[in-house]
Amino acid sequence: MMQGFWAAGAALLAMLAAGCQLSVGENTAAAEFDRQRAIDRFQIVETLPERAVIVADGRTVAVTPPEGACITEDAIDVSERSAFVLYTDCALVTGPDGAPLAAINAQDAPFAGLVTLSVSGEGRVALWRLSAFVETDEGQQLLARSRQGGSIAVVEQRRIGEMLFVLVENRDEQAMALLSRRFWRCFLELNGRMAVITVSGFRARPLADDALFAEVWRHAVALAEGNAQPVPPAPSDAAPAKPAPSVSIPDIGEVRTVGKARR
């Protein structure tokens, strides 16, 4: 029985975490083969800056960014296991008239970090199972944000309503050198499909744990509201944290895109 318990946790976490691992500069025949196999299970139905619609193994999931965050067509990817979204600050996205969708100013600077979402084909999973699994050695390896894994530690867990927040520390110096060692993952259900939001800072300008948590909370609330799901009361430390007015965001390379949206 315990063997089946861990197997279920491993399958879910591997599927979700894999979607949050960036593929930089990758454009191969294997990627195209994966895309063809994914067509029936994962589709990008619509992509607008303020909303995207994904079909995840027969269920429709709305991707709704919080205020200040936007989606671009080339920042959505599908594979045979998940759909992946890279969020962008609206100040970096231009509208049909060529003007930025939002202004950058000292009071509303871009979030100085990286936010991604992965939606799997898995149905509802008991959060207590996932919470127990991420404390195991195998679970911590699957929490890594690179395919090579690395030395991972779970620093903290928070269960808020039907959402599980996990603060992860990557102790491997070589893993994702641009990103800060600590990052939050939030596991939640969206219209019957499990999803994970990941929020990281940049190593050159790391953010405090509470600032990263405030950002992952904003995205979790926006997604729950966008899919007409209950939103739990905000914890006391989920207040928005303002980043520094002057933000330098390093180039993370090309994010592989294998799906085109239908408008």
Side-chain angles (χ1 to χ4, degrees):
M1 181 175 178
M2 288 300 293
Q3 184 176 6
F5 170 88
W6 297 127
L12 171 64
L13 196 58
M15 180 178 293
L16 292 178
C20 290
Q21 296 164 357
L22 296 181
S23 299
V24 179
E26 188 175 313
N27 184 16
T28 64
E32 176 61 19
F33 180 68
D34 284 346
R35 186 188 72 81
Q36 292 298 328
R37 287 198 298 178
I39 287 176
D40 290 338
R41 294 192 63 199
F42 294 92
Q43 299 178 42
I44 303 167
V45 178
E46 179 184 55
T47 308
L48 297 171
E50 69 280 4
R51 173 185 168 91
V53 177
I54 295 170
V55 174
D57 208 11
R59 289 294 188 97
T60 300
V61 174
V63 181
T64 49
E67 183 178 0
C70 283
I71 303 167
T72 59
E73 184 175 312
D74 58 358
I76 300 184
D77 189 8
V78 293
S79 72
E80 64 174 309
R81 298 189 301 176
S82 63
F84 173 81
V85 180
L86 172 65
Y87 289 97
T88 305
D89 194 278
C90 292
L92 307 177
V93 180
T94 57
D97 59 356
L101 295 180
I104 298 178
N105 54 63
Q107 301 301 316
D108 190 22
F111 171 68
L114 186 70
V115 183
T116 63
L117 168 70
S118 182
V119 182
S120 82
E122 290 290 308
R124 181 178 178 84
V125 174
L127 293 185
W128 69 267
R129 291 178 180 248
L130 191 57
S131 177
F133 181 71
V134 299
E135 293 290 349
T136 68
D137 290 341
E138 184 181 6
Q140 290 176 18
Q141 287 300 307
L142 290 172
L143 279 170
R145 56 188 171 195
S146 71
R147 290 187 176 89
Q148 288 71 39
S151 178
I152 297 294
V154 172
V155 179
E156 181 182 348
Q157 292 196 47
R158 301 183 189 184
R159 170 78 178 271
I160 304 174
E162 294 303 311
M163 302 175 184
L164 176 66
F165 297 84
V166 183
L167 177 60
V168 184
E169 181 174 277
N170 192 331
R171 295 176 177 174
D172 187 347
E173 289 281 354
Q174 304 303 316
M176 301 298 289
L178 285 174
L179 298 177
S180 58
R181 293 183 183 180
R182 288 195 178 193
F183 55 97
W184 281 97
R185 290 197 192 275
C186 170
F187 296 87
L188 72 164
E189 179 188 352
L190 299 174
N191 194 22
R193 292 292 173 257
M194 291 301 295
V196 59
I197 312 162
T198 303
V199 174
S200 306
F202 293 114
R203 191 166 295 190
R205 298 189 64 172
L207 296 171
D209 294 345
D210 58 352
L212 292 175
F213 180 78
E215 188 67 10
V216 76
W217 173 258
R218 285 197 329 121
H219 282 265
V221 168
L223 284 166
E225 291 177 341
N227 288 274
Q229 296 177 185
V231 177
S236 59
D237 52 356
K242 289 290 184 181
S246 176
V247 177
S248 176
I249 300 178
D251 182 8
I252 62 170
E254 178 186 356
V255 178
R256 177 171 61 90
T257 301
V258 296
K260 289 294 184 181
R262 296 198 304 272
R263 296 183 183 274

